[in-house]
Amino acid sequence: MDKFILSDIDTKLESYNQFTKFYNSIKDFVFCNISVSLNNWFGANMCAVLAGLLDKIDFTNSIKITSNKEGVLTILKKNGFLANYGYEKADDVYSTTCRYLKLEPNQGRFFNFYVMDELLGKESFPDMSDKLKKKIKESIYEVFVNAQMHSNTKFIYTCGQFYPKKQKIEFTIVDTGIGFKNKINSSMNVNLNSLQAIKWALGTNNTTKKDIPGGLGLAILTEFIKLNKGKFQVISDNGFYQLSEEGEQLEMLNYPFPGTVVNMEFRTDDECLYKLDTEININDIF
């Protein structure tokens, strides 16, 4: 049996480097028994990332998932991820998980309901007007649509987790398609690197035309995340992009990721009430 360890996995750059190194090691395996130990800590939202990688190779391989921490296995039973690997599902009594889903690209309508039920509808989610909540839902849906239309992925993976002590919600969407760089370069006959391609895809003035991936329409979402002091990440090929209140961080991964990861972090200790600019009555200011 081939044994691998993923240790202290969260949304830091080092964790994504662990994932891509792991995939680089297993991508050519055929008819193997693979054991993956999730040691010490594994952020439940990162199930979407792990699922995408394992799906790339599980057609001909046998995969076993373990951990040196029972708590890690418990939370991954609660969100339903480990049900795919021989474990029984556990009840999420305190509703701290956004359940793990593996969707086909044509299931966008179901994804919309999922986002409202599992993320935006949670009592712990930052307070906002119904109109803004609708816009945030539309922005998150744009991530799904981009994977649906431009990535050539077979499946889209999503999962989230509410961390009461850390006062945050993490929500992750993953596809295992061709990634921004390959799609943009082939469609536009350019030679962007991974980070340039991510930046181009995030540009608000880059519209989608035909089969060319354009701006993801995330301006409202990313502006809200900055005000909320959250975090927004895109990982595609060997590019790592992060936007937070500290600004932008761009790094190159040690190995390429076979697809795209979009991760969102929302702070739940934010006591502000958010509205669209168009909803603000000037008489309320004075």
Side-chain angles (χ1 to χ4, degrees):
M1 178 172 286
D2 295 282
K3 298 181 179 180
F4 298 89
I5 294 176
L6 295 171
S7 183
D8 297 306
I9 295 295
D10 54 20
T11 59
K12 294 186 178 68
L13 175 65
E14 193 276 333
S15 295
Y16 291 112
N17 271 322
Q18 280 196 61
F19 274 127
T20 55
K21 181 181 179 180
F22 166 66
Y23 178 69
N24 188 69
S25 299
I26 65 171
K27 63 181 180 180
D28 297 321
F29 280 20
V30 179
F31 303 120
C32 295
N33 294 318
I34 300 171
S35 174
V36 184
S37 185
L38 310 179
N39 284 2
N40 302 332
W41 173 263
F42 189 89
N45 58 295
M46 302 303 273
C47 288
V49 182
L50 181 58
L53 297 180
L54 292 179
D55 257 15
K56 299 281 283 185
I57 56 97
D58 78 346
F59 182 73
T60 60
N61 296 286
S62 175
I63 298 168
K64 179 181 180 181
I65 295 180
T66 63
S67 177
N68 65 347
K69 299 289 186 181
E70 187 60 34
V72 170
L73 296 178
T74 298
I75 198 68
L76 302 190
K77 292 175 186 176
K78 288 181 179 180
N79 69 13
F81 172 71
L82 285 181
N84 301 284
Y85 298 95
Y87 292 85
E88 290 189 6
K89 193 176 187 304
D91 291 333
D92 183 13
V93 176
Y94 299 104
S95 299
T96 61
T97 67
C98 301
R99 72 184 188 278
Y100 162 75
L101 280 186
K102 174 182 174 180
L103 300 170
E104 294 182 5
N106 63 2
Q107 293 182 291
R109 187 167 179 269
F110 185 80
F111 176 78
N112 251 337
F113 288 121
Y114 167 82
V115 169
M116 284 303 300
D117 291 343
E118 300 286 332
L119 179 66
L120 301 182
K122 283 193 177 294
E123 185 177 338
S124 53
F125 198 81
D127 199 9
M128 62 179 63
S129 69
D130 289 340
K131 289 183 178 179
L132 177 56
K133 187 170 291 186
K134 181 180 178 182
K135 289 292 185 182
I136 296 294
K137 183 186 74 171
E138 290 171 356
S139 286
I140 295 174
Y141 181 62
E142 283 296 321
V143 178
F144 186 94
V145 168
N146 182 76
Q148 175 190 64
M149 295 180 63
H150 304 303
S151 72
N152 300 336
T153 191
K154 291 183 179 179
F155 298 102
I156 299 169
Y157 309 84
T158 185
C159 192
Q161 181 67 30
F162 170 43
Y163 299 95
K165 293 182 179 179
K166 297 180 180 180
Q167 297 182 309
K168 66 178 183 178
I169 296 175
E170 296 271 8
F171 187 73
T172 307
I173 305 168
V174 177
D175 72 67
T176 53
I178 63 175
F180 289 128
K181 183 181 76 171
N182 292 332
K183 187 64 177 181
I184 292 171
N185 286 346
S186 63
S187 298
M188 299 181 63
N189 194 27
V190 293
N191 189 30
L192 303 182
N193 64 32
S194 299
L195 292 175
Q196 290 170 330
I198 291 172
K199 287 281 288 180
W200 191 93
L202 293 176
T204 56
N205 296 322
N206 298 328
T207 57
T208 302
K209 296 180 180 179
K210 296 183 180 179
D211 63 342
I212 302 174
L216 298 183
L218 300 178
I220 288 179
L221 176 62
T222 53
E223 182 62 25
F224 168 70
I225 287 175
K226 284 192 291 184
L227 292 171
N228 174 248
K229 296 181 172 58
K231 186 167 63 181
F232 179 80
Q233 297 174 323
V234 178
I235 292 84
S236 188
D237 199 79
N238 60 348
F240 169 91
Y241 172 88
Q242 178 173 294
L243 176 67
S244 66
E245 62 174 331
E246 286 82 25
E248 294 182 319
Q249 178 185 356
L250 296 95
E251 305 284 351
M252 299 295 284
L253 298 175
N254 296 331
Y255 300 93
F257 182 84
T260 298
V261 178
V262 176
N263 182 65
M264 294 155 261
E265 177 187 298
F266 305 96
R267 298 294 308 177
T268 60
D269 55 350
D270 187 347
E271 297 181 356
C272 295
L273 170 61
Y274 291 95
K275 296 182 179 181
L276 294 169
D277 285 343
T278 54
E279 296 182 85
I280 298 175
N281 187 334
I282 192 169
N283 293 322
D284 294 338
I285 300 175
F286 301 101

